[in-house]
Amino acid sequence: MSQKFIPLSVPNLKGKELEYVTQAIETEWVSTGGPYINDFESKIASYVKSKGAVSCQNGTAGLHIALDVCEVTSKDEVIVPTLTFIAAVNPVKYIGAEPIFMDCDDSLNMDSTKLREFCEDQCTFFEGKLINNLTKKHIKAIVVVHVFGNMADMEAIMDIAKKYNLKVIEDATEAIGTYYLSGNYKGRFAGTIGDMGVYSFNGNKIMTTGGGGMIVSNNLDYLDRAKHLSTQAKSDELYYTHDEIGYNYRMTNLQAALGLAQIEKLEDFIQTKKENYEFYKEKFEEIPGLKMMNFKENIRPNYWFYALYIEDDYSINRDQVIKYLASKKVQSRPIWGLISEQKPYAGSQVHKIEKAKEYLNHIVNIPCSSNLSKEDAEYVVQCFKRPEVI
Ligand SMILES: *Cc1c(COP(=O)(O)O)cnc(C)c1O
Protein backbone atom coordinates (compact mmCIF):
# COMPACT_ATOMS: atom_id res chain seq x y z
CA MET A 1 0.00 0.00 0.00
CA SER A 2 1.31 3.43 -0.80
CA GLN A 3 2.06 5.83 2.04
CA LYS A 4 -0.72 8.31 2.74
CA PHE A 5 -0.06 12.05 2.85
CA ILE A 6 0.56 13.45 6.34
CA PRO A 7 -0.44 17.12 6.46
CA LEU A 8 1.07 19.75 8.73
CA SER A 9 -2.03 20.99 10.53
CA VAL A 10 -5.61 20.27 9.51
CA PRO A 11 -9.02 20.65 11.15
CA ASN A 12 -10.52 17.99 13.39
CA LEU A 13 -14.30 18.00 12.92
CA LYS A 14 -15.43 14.79 14.52
CA GLY A 15 -17.65 16.26 17.24
CA LYS A 16 -21.01 18.02 16.97
CA GLU A 17 -19.96 20.29 14.08
CA LEU A 18 -22.42 18.86 11.57
CA GLU A 19 -25.27 18.84 14.07
CA TYR A 20 -24.82 22.49 15.09
CA VAL A 21 -24.23 23.77 11.57
CA THR A 22 -27.32 21.88 10.41
CA GLN A 23 -29.34 23.58 13.14
CA ALA A 24 -28.04 26.96 12.03
CA ILE A 25 -29.14 26.20 8.47
CA GLU A 26 -32.51 24.74 9.48
CA THR A 27 -33.31 27.81 11.56
CA GLU A 28 -32.06 30.00 8.67
CA TRP A 29 -29.79 32.01 10.93
CA VAL A 30 -26.70 31.95 8.76
CA SER A 31 -25.44 35.51 8.84
CA THR A 32 -24.23 37.94 11.54
CA GLY A 33 -27.36 37.51 13.66
CA GLY A 34 -28.43 34.40 15.52
CA PRO A 35 -28.09 32.79 18.92
CA TYR A 36 -24.86 30.87 18.34
CA ILE A 37 -22.73 33.99 18.06
CA ASN A 38 -23.51 35.30 21.54
CA ASP A 39 -23.33 31.79 22.88
CA PHE A 40 -19.89 31.22 21.38
CA GLU A 41 -18.68 34.57 22.73
CA SER A 42 -19.73 33.63 26.26
CA LYS A 43 -18.22 30.16 25.99
CA ILE A 44 -14.86 31.60 24.95
CA ALA A 45 -14.98 34.28 27.64
CA SER A 46 -15.72 31.75 30.34
CA TYR A 47 -13.10 29.28 29.06
CA VAL A 48 -10.31 31.88 29.17
CA LYS A 49 -11.82 33.65 32.20
CA SER A 50 -12.08 37.07 30.58
CA LYS A 51 -14.83 39.59 31.34
CA GLY A 52 -16.20 39.24 27.84
CA ALA A 53 -15.51 38.44 24.21
CA VAL A 54 -16.39 39.93 20.85
CA SER A 55 -16.39 37.70 17.80
CA CYS A 56 -15.01 38.70 14.43
CA GLN A 57 -14.40 37.43 10.91
CA ASN A 58 -10.83 36.34 11.57
CA GLY A 59 -7.84 37.02 13.78
CA THR A 60 -6.50 39.69 11.45
CA ALA A 61 -9.75 41.67 11.71
CA GLY A 62 -9.65 41.24 15.49
CA LEU A 63 -6.15 42.71 15.66
CA HIS A 64 -7.24 45.63 13.46
CA ILE A 65 -10.12 46.39 15.83
CA ALA A 66 -7.93 45.95 18.92
CA LEU A 67 -5.42 48.53 17.66
CA ASP A 68 -8.24 50.93 16.90
CA VAL A 69 -9.81 50.44 20.34
CA CYS A 70 -6.40 51.05 21.94
CA GLU A 71 -6.41 54.39 20.12
CA VAL A 72 -3.43 53.70 17.92
CA THR A 73 -3.59 56.28 15.12
CA SER A 74 -1.71 57.03 11.91
CA LYS A 75 0.59 59.31 13.91
CA ASP A 76 1.79 56.50 16.18
CA GLU A 77 4.26 53.66 16.20
CA VAL A 78 3.81 50.11 17.48
CA ILE A 79 6.47 47.64 18.59
CA VAL A 80 6.01 44.24 16.92
CA PRO A 81 7.95 40.97 16.60
CA THR A 82 9.79 40.16 13.37
CA LEU A 83 9.53 36.38 13.74
CA THR A 84 5.82 35.81 13.26
CA PHE A 85 3.05 35.53 10.72
CA ILE A 86 2.57 38.77 8.78
CA ALA A 87 -1.05 39.14 9.97
CA ALA A 88 0.30 40.17 13.37
CA VAL A 89 1.81 43.27 11.76
CA ASN A 90 -0.33 44.22 8.75
CA PRO A 91 -3.13 45.67 10.94
CA VAL A 92 -0.64 48.26 12.23
CA LYS A 93 -0.40 49.44 8.63
CA TYR A 94 -4.18 49.26 8.13
CA ILE A 95 -4.37 51.91 10.85
CA GLY A 96 -1.65 53.89 9.09
CA ALA A 97 0.75 53.51 12.02
CA GLU A 98 4.38 52.37 11.73
CA PRO A 99 5.82 49.14 13.15
CA ILE A 100 9.18 48.86 14.91
CA PHE A 101 10.55 45.33 14.70
CA MET A 102 11.92 43.48 17.71
CA ASP A 103 14.03 40.32 17.85
CA CYS A 104 12.93 37.01 19.39
CA ASP A 105 14.45 35.22 22.38
CA ASP A 106 15.21 31.50 22.66
CA SER A 107 11.51 30.72 23.09
CA LEU A 108 10.87 32.37 19.66
CA ASN A 109 8.74 35.03 21.37
CA MET A 110 9.58 38.74 21.56
CA ASP A 111 12.83 39.31 23.45
CA SER A 112 11.79 41.27 26.54
CA THR A 113 15.39 42.22 27.39
CA LYS A 114 15.87 43.85 24.00
CA LEU A 115 12.45 45.44 24.30
CA ARG A 116 13.43 47.02 27.62
CA GLU A 117 16.79 48.11 26.24
CA PHE A 118 15.13 49.70 23.23
CA CYS A 119 12.69 51.68 25.38
CA GLU A 120 15.47 52.78 27.73
CA ASP A 121 18.20 53.60 25.22
CA GLN A 122 16.50 54.49 21.96
CA CYS A 123 13.50 56.39 23.31
CA THR A 124 12.64 59.24 25.65
CA PHE A 125 9.80 59.01 28.14
CA PHE A 126 8.26 62.47 28.27
CA GLU A 127 4.91 63.62 29.72
CA GLY A 128 3.59 60.07 29.88
CA LYS A 129 4.57 59.26 26.31
CA LEU A 130 7.30 57.04 24.97
CA ILE A 131 8.93 58.98 22.12
CA ASN A 132 11.13 57.23 19.56
CA ASN A 133 14.41 59.20 19.42
CA LEU A 134 14.88 58.35 15.73
CA THR A 135 11.49 59.48 14.41
CA LYS A 136 10.22 61.66 17.31
CA LYS A 137 6.97 59.74 17.08
CA HIS A 138 4.83 58.43 19.92
CA ILE A 139 5.14 54.68 20.48
CA LYS A 140 1.71 53.76 21.72
CA ALA A 141 1.49 50.00 21.86
CA ILE A 142 3.15 46.61 21.65
CA VAL A 143 1.75 43.65 19.72
CA VAL A 144 2.93 40.53 21.53
CA VAL A 145 2.58 37.19 19.75
CA HIS A 146 2.44 33.94 21.71
CA VAL A 147 4.34 31.90 19.15
CA PHE A 148 3.12 28.36 18.36
CA GLY A 149 1.08 28.22 21.59
CA ASN A 150 3.98 29.07 23.86
CA MET A 151 3.70 32.13 26.16
CA ALA A 152 5.71 35.31 25.64
CA ASP A 153 7.40 36.68 28.76
CA MET A 154 4.31 38.57 29.94
CA GLU A 155 5.69 39.41 33.39
CA ALA A 156 8.53 41.44 31.90
CA ILE A 157 6.49 42.81 29.00
CA MET A 158 3.66 44.05 31.25
CA ASP A 159 6.22 45.63 33.54
CA ILE A 160 7.81 47.51 30.64
CA ALA A 161 4.39 48.49 29.29
CA LYS A 162 3.36 49.94 32.69
CA LYS A 163 6.59 51.85 33.02
CA TYR A 164 6.28 53.46 29.58
CA ASN A 165 2.53 53.73 29.32
CA LEU A 166 2.20 51.34 26.40
CA LYS A 167 -0.93 49.43 25.48
CA VAL A 168 -0.42 45.68 25.14
CA ILE A 169 -2.30 43.79 22.44
CA GLU A 170 -1.80 40.06 22.70
CA ASP A 171 -1.85 38.23 19.41
CA ALA A 172 -2.95 34.96 21.00
CA THR A 173 -4.19 33.68 17.65
CA GLU A 174 -2.06 30.55 18.07
CA ALA A 175 -2.39 30.19 21.81
CA ILE A 176 -5.97 29.69 22.93
CA GLY A 177 -5.81 27.39 25.97
CA THR A 178 -2.30 28.36 27.06
CA TYR A 179 -2.08 29.65 30.63
CA TYR A 180 0.41 30.38 33.42
CA LEU A 181 0.95 27.73 36.08
CA SER A 182 2.89 29.99 38.44
CA GLY A 183 4.11 33.53 39.00
CA ASN A 184 2.19 36.84 39.04
CA TYR A 185 -0.14 35.64 36.34
CA LYS A 186 -0.82 32.16 37.67
CA GLY A 187 -4.05 30.84 36.11
CA ARG A 188 -4.20 33.62 33.53
CA PHE A 189 -4.72 32.64 29.90
CA ALA A 190 -2.70 33.94 26.96
CA GLY A 191 -4.79 36.79 25.57
CA THR A 192 -6.19 37.95 28.91
CA ILE A 193 -3.14 39.60 30.44
CA GLY A 194 -2.62 42.67 28.26
CA ASP A 195 -5.21 45.33 27.38
CA MET A 196 -6.76 43.20 24.66
CA GLY A 197 -6.20 39.73 23.26
CA VAL A 198 -7.15 38.12 19.97
CA TYR A 199 -7.72 34.47 19.03
CA SER A 200 -7.95 32.99 15.55
CA PHE A 201 -10.13 30.11 14.40
CA ASN A 202 -8.56 29.75 10.99
CA GLY A 203 -8.48 26.23 9.54
CA ASN A 204 -4.91 25.53 10.64
CA LYS A 205 -5.31 26.72 14.25
CA ILE A 206 -6.02 24.40 17.19
CA MET A 207 -9.76 24.97 16.87
CA THR A 208 -11.51 26.32 13.81
CA THR A 209 -14.66 28.02 12.59
CA GLY A 210 -13.48 27.83 8.98
CA GLY A 211 -12.32 31.40 9.38
CA GLY A 212 -13.01 33.40 12.48
CA GLY A 213 -11.61 35.27 15.43
CA MET A 214 -12.37 36.51 18.92
CA ILE A 215 -11.34 39.61 20.82
CA VAL A 216 -11.12 39.32 24.61
CA SER A 217 -10.46 41.89 27.30
CA ASN A 218 -11.11 42.55 30.96
CA ASN A 219 -12.03 46.13 30.10
CA LEU A 220 -15.76 46.25 29.35
CA ASP A 221 -15.52 49.64 27.66
CA TYR A 222 -12.98 48.22 25.24
CA LEU A 223 -15.26 45.29 24.48
CA ASP A 224 -18.21 47.64 23.86
CA ARG A 225 -16.11 49.66 21.47
CA ALA A 226 -14.84 46.53 19.74
CA LYS A 227 -18.40 45.37 19.16
CA HIS A 228 -19.48 48.80 17.95
CA LEU A 229 -16.60 49.09 15.48
CA SER A 230 -16.97 45.52 14.21
CA THR A 231 -20.68 45.99 13.44
CA GLN A 232 -20.55 49.09 11.22
CA ALA A 233 -20.57 51.55 14.16
CA LYS A 234 -24.34 51.70 14.17
CA SER A 235 -25.58 53.94 16.98
CA ASP A 236 -29.25 53.46 16.22
CA GLU A 237 -30.57 50.10 15.07
CA LEU A 238 -33.85 51.38 13.65
CA TYR A 239 -32.82 54.57 11.92
CA TYR A 240 -29.36 53.40 10.87
CA THR A 241 -27.38 56.25 12.31
CA HIS A 242 -23.62 55.79 12.40
CA ASP A 243 -21.37 57.89 14.57
CA GLU A 244 -18.04 56.88 12.99
CA ILE A 245 -16.47 54.64 10.36
CA GLY A 246 -16.97 51.03 11.37
CA TYR A 247 -16.24 47.67 9.81
CA ASN A 248 -18.24 44.65 8.76
CA TYR A 249 -16.19 42.28 10.87
CA ARG A 250 -18.72 40.30 12.88
CA MET A 251 -18.69 36.52 12.87
CA THR A 252 -21.63 34.67 11.30
CA ASN A 253 -23.96 32.26 13.07
CA LEU A 254 -22.66 29.47 10.79
CA GLN A 255 -19.09 30.07 11.91
CA ALA A 256 -20.20 30.26 15.55
CA ALA A 257 -22.03 26.92 15.19
CA LEU A 258 -18.74 25.32 14.20
CA GLY A 259 -16.99 27.13 17.04
CA LEU A 260 -19.40 25.81 19.66
CA ALA A 261 -18.70 22.24 18.57
CA GLN A 262 -14.95 22.91 18.55
CA ILE A 263 -14.71 24.49 22.00
CA GLU A 264 -16.30 21.32 23.42
CA LYS A 265 -13.28 19.44 22.10
CA LEU A 266 -10.51 21.93 22.79
CA GLU A 267 -9.17 20.25 25.91
CA ASP A 268 -9.13 16.88 24.09
CA PHE A 269 -7.23 18.46 21.19
CA ILE A 270 -4.69 19.87 23.64
CA GLN A 271 -4.29 16.48 25.31
CA THR A 272 -3.62 14.74 21.97
CA LYS A 273 -1.20 17.44 20.88
CA LYS A 274 0.62 17.12 24.21
CA GLU A 275 0.99 13.36 23.79
CA ASN A 276 2.25 13.67 20.22
CA TYR A 277 4.62 16.45 21.23
CA GLU A 278 6.08 14.34 24.03
CA PHE A 279 6.40 11.37 21.69
CA TYR A 280 8.33 13.41 19.11
CA LYS A 281 10.46 15.02 21.81
CA GLU A 282 11.53 11.68 23.23
CA LYS A 283 12.22 10.15 19.80
CA PHE A 284 14.15 13.13 18.45
CA GLU A 285 16.37 13.13 21.52
CA GLU A 286 17.78 9.86 20.20
CA ILE A 287 18.68 11.35 16.81
CA PRO A 288 21.86 13.47 16.87
CA GLY A 289 21.46 16.91 15.29
CA LEU A 290 17.74 17.27 16.00
CA LYS A 291 16.01 18.99 18.88
CA MET A 292 12.38 19.78 19.54
CA MET A 293 11.94 23.38 20.71
CA ASN A 294 10.56 23.46 24.25
CA PHE A 295 7.46 25.07 25.60
CA LYS A 296 8.09 27.05 28.79
CA GLU A 297 8.03 25.25 32.13
CA ASN A 298 5.85 27.69 34.01
CA ILE A 299 2.90 27.38 31.63
CA ARG A 300 0.36 24.88 30.42
CA PRO A 301 0.80 25.32 26.66
CA ASN A 302 -1.83 24.37 24.10
CA TYR A 303 0.93 22.56 22.11
CA TRP A 304 -0.43 24.00 18.87
CA PHE A 305 2.62 23.85 16.57
CA TYR A 306 5.80 21.79 16.85
CA ALA A 307 9.12 23.35 15.97
CA LEU A 308 12.06 21.07 15.22
CA TYR A 309 15.53 22.63 15.34
CA ILE A 310 17.86 21.20 12.67
CA GLU A 311 21.39 21.61 14.01
CA ASP A 312 24.33 22.30 11.71
CA ASP A 313 25.75 18.83 12.34
CA TYR A 314 22.62 17.02 11.15
CA SER A 315 23.35 15.32 7.83
CA ILE A 316 21.05 17.55 5.73
CA ASN A 317 20.00 21.17 6.12
CA ARG A 318 16.60 22.82 6.60
CA ASP A 319 15.65 23.05 2.95
CA GLN A 320 16.83 19.53 2.23
CA VAL A 321 14.77 18.26 5.17
CA ILE A 322 11.63 19.88 3.78
CA LYS A 323 12.24 18.44 0.30
CA TYR A 324 13.06 15.00 1.64
CA LEU A 325 9.93 14.92 3.82
CA ALA A 326 7.81 16.01 0.86
CA SER A 327 9.18 13.07 -1.13
CA LYS A 328 8.03 10.85 1.73
CA LYS A 329 4.56 12.49 1.70
CA VAL A 330 5.14 14.35 4.95
CA GLN A 331 4.26 18.03 4.88
CA SER A 332 6.59 20.43 6.70
CA ARG A 333 7.60 24.03 6.34
CA PRO A 334 10.29 26.44 7.45
CA ILE A 335 9.31 28.93 10.15
CA TRP A 336 7.99 32.22 8.67
CA GLY A 337 10.28 34.54 6.75
CA LEU A 338 11.08 37.55 8.96
CA ILE A 339 8.45 40.25 8.57
CA SER A 340 11.03 43.05 8.68
CA GLU A 341 12.56 41.51 5.56
CA GLN A 342 9.32 41.36 3.58
CA LYS A 343 8.92 43.84 0.74
CA PRO A 344 6.21 46.04 2.34
CA TYR A 345 8.35 46.50 5.46
CA ALA A 346 11.71 47.11 3.78
CA GLY A 347 12.02 50.63 5.17
CA SER A 348 10.78 49.93 8.69
CA GLN A 349 12.84 50.39 11.82
CA VAL A 350 14.41 47.25 13.30
CA HIS A 351 16.12 46.75 16.63
CA LYS A 352 19.01 44.27 16.79
CA ILE A 353 17.47 41.38 14.88
CA GLU A 354 19.89 38.50 15.51
CA LYS A 355 18.30 35.39 16.96
CA ALA A 356 15.34 35.51 14.61
CA LYS A 357 17.75 35.08 11.67
CA GLU A 358 19.38 32.07 13.26
CA TYR A 359 16.10 30.37 14.09
CA LEU A 360 14.74 31.13 10.65
CA ASN A 361 17.55 29.09 9.11
CA HIS A 362 17.16 26.10 11.41
CA ILE A 363 13.53 25.52 12.29
CA VAL A 364 11.12 23.23 10.52
CA ASN A 365 7.52 22.77 11.58
CA ILE A 366 6.41 19.16 11.45
CA PRO A 367 2.95 17.53 11.41
CA CYS A 368 0.99 18.40 14.54
CA SER A 369 -2.73 18.00 13.77
CA SER A 370 -4.92 16.89 16.65
CA ASN A 371 -5.93 13.90 14.54
CA LEU A 372 -2.33 12.83 13.89
CA SER A 373 -2.11 9.16 14.88
CA LYS A 374 0.76 7.54 16.81
CA GLU A 375 1.59 5.57 13.64
CA ASP A 376 1.81 8.76 11.60
CA ALA A 377 4.06 10.37 14.21
CA GLU A 378 6.22 7.25 14.26
CA TYR A 379 6.47 7.36 10.46
CA VAL A 380 7.58 11.03 10.59
CA VAL A 381 10.30 10.12 13.10
CA GLN A 382 11.46 7.20 10.94
CA CYS A 383 11.89 9.56 7.99
CA PHE A 384 14.45 11.52 10.02
CA LYS A 385 16.55 8.41 10.66
CA ARG A 386 17.65 7.89 7.06
CA PRO A 387 17.60 11.33 5.52
CA GLU A 388 18.73 11.71 1.92
CA VAL A 389 19.48 14.69 -0.25
CA ILE A 390 16.71 14.81 -2.86
C1 LIG B 1 -3.17 32.91 12.29
C2 LIG B 1 -2.48 34.11 12.76
C3 LIG B 1 -3.03 35.40 12.62
C4 LIG B 1 -4.25 35.70 11.82
O1 LIG B 1 -5.38 35.01 12.09
P1 LIG B 1 -6.46 34.82 10.91
O2 LIG B 1 -7.64 34.29 11.63
O3 LIG B 1 -5.88 33.86 9.93
O4 LIG B 1 -6.72 36.16 10.31
C5 LIG B 1 -2.36 36.47 13.17
N1 LIG B 1 -1.20 36.31 13.81
C6 LIG B 1 -0.62 35.10 13.93
C7 LIG B 1 0.67 35.01 14.70
C8 LIG B 1 -1.22 33.97 13.40
O5 LIG B 1 -0.63 32.78 13.53
Side-chain angles (χ1 to χ4, degrees), residues 57-61 63 84-88 145 171 173-174 199-202 204-205 211-213 304 336:
Q57 272 302 314
N58 49 58
T60 313
L63 290 164
T84 186
F85 180 50
I86 199 162
V145 179
D171 176 337
T173 49
E174 306 179 355
Y199 302 115
S200 163
F201 311 120
N202 189 31
N204 67 339
K205 300 301 203 281
W304 174 58
W336 315 278

Side-chain angles (χ1 to χ4, degrees), residues 3-10 280 325 328-332 366-369 372-373 375-381 383:
Q3 173 60 36
K4 74 168 201 275
F5 176 67
I6 304 180
L8 190 58
S9 180
V10 288
Y280 275 140
L325 291 178
K328 294 281 168 192
K329 296 201 177 169
V330 174
Q331 189 184 17
S332 65
I366 56 173
C368 64
S369 308
L372 182 82
S373 68
E375 295 72 49
D376 291 346
E378 178 63 47
Y379 174 77
V380 173
V381 171
C383 289

